[in-house]
Amino acid sequence: PAITLAMAVAKTRDGVTPQITPTNACLYCVVQTCASLIAIYALSAAYSHLRVPQNPLGVPVPGDGVTLVGALIMETLLTFSLVLSILLLFVRGEDTLAVSAELHKPRSFLKRVRESRGYVKDMAPLAIGLIHVALIIVGMPVSGASLNPARAFGCAAMSNIWANQWVYWVGPFLGAAVAGF
């Protein structure tokens, strides 16, 4: 849902049209949250013998000594970083020909820009995956590094642990909205 919100906020190159419509964004968020519930129930059924009493089913919780404000800031920064990398690597690198009128550069320069964007876009899944891993490593001890409201909701619903759940909705949505703008 955080990335969906960013796509609803982010504009296409014309500066007016959103990447996805608000109606579709709401529908996507509902479907993603339902999919989270289905996934967590399936994982619970498959791994019911591995329940850990302190943190059942991976419910994100703030780390020891971390305040709720600290966890909120961490979730916001982590989600901002992830969403910004997705927007820069996937969404904004699409069309360099439209920029040619603005740049007034020779054709060879535009060809090099287009080729370099293509190479970056080809490596985007790997780069985004590595960025996501790095963000989880950084954020896990502080906020639990959810970065995904639907994931946090699914785990909380299955475990019936709702303490501080708002942090894992407000933080990612705030970070995604700022990245989208």
Side-chain angles (χ1 to χ4, degrees), residues 35-52 56-59 154-160:
S36 166
L37 288 171
I38 293 168
I40 197 67
Y41 277 100
L43 284 172
S44 174
Y47 296 105
S48 61
H49 61 286
L50 295 179
R51 277 200 172 190
V52 179
L57 297 173
V59 177
C155 294
M158 181 65 191
S159 301
N160 200 23

Side-chain angles (χ1 to χ4, degrees), residues 18-87:
Q19 295 287 336
I20 58 174
T21 65
T23 305
N24 283 346
C26 290
L27 180 64
Y28 293 164
C29 287
V30 168
V31 170
Q32 291 163 355
T33 304
C34 291
S36 166
L37 288 171
I38 293 168
I40 197 67
Y41 277 100
L43 284 172
S44 174
Y47 296 105
S48 61
H49 61 286
L50 295 179
R51 277 200 172 190
V52 179
Q54 294 85 9
N55 190 3
L57 297 173
V59 177
V61 293
D64 293 337
V66 177
T67 64
L68 289 180
V69 173
L72 179 67
I73 291 170
M74 180 59 83
E75 284 292 314
T76 302
L77 291 174
L78 294 173
T79 307
F80 171 80
S81 302
L82 178 64
V83 170
L84 188 64
S85 67
I86 290 170
L87 290 174

Side-chain angles (χ1 to χ4, degrees), residues 85-159:
S85 67
I86 290 170
L87 290 174
L88 289 174
L89 293 173
F90 271 137
V91 178
R92 293 290 180 199
E94 294 173 349
D95 184 19
T96 55
L97 285 178
V99 183
S100 65
E102 299 170 15
L103 292 178
H104 301 293
K105 299 286 183 182
R107 228 33 194 151
S108 61
F109 171 77
L110 292 174
K111 183 178 178 185
R112 286 195 309 267
V113 169
R114 209 170 28 258
E115 286 175 354
S116 67
R117 286 288 181 133
Y119 301 140
V120 168
K121 198 165 182 172
D122 290 343
M123 292 300 293
L126 176 64
I128 291 169
L130 293 174
I131 289 168
H132 196 187
V133 168
L135 292 173
I136 288 173
I137 290 170
V138 168
M140 187 63 74
V142 178
S143 68
S146 173
L147 297 147
N148 183 347
R151 188 196 84 73
F153 177 78
C155 294
M158 181 65 191
S159 301

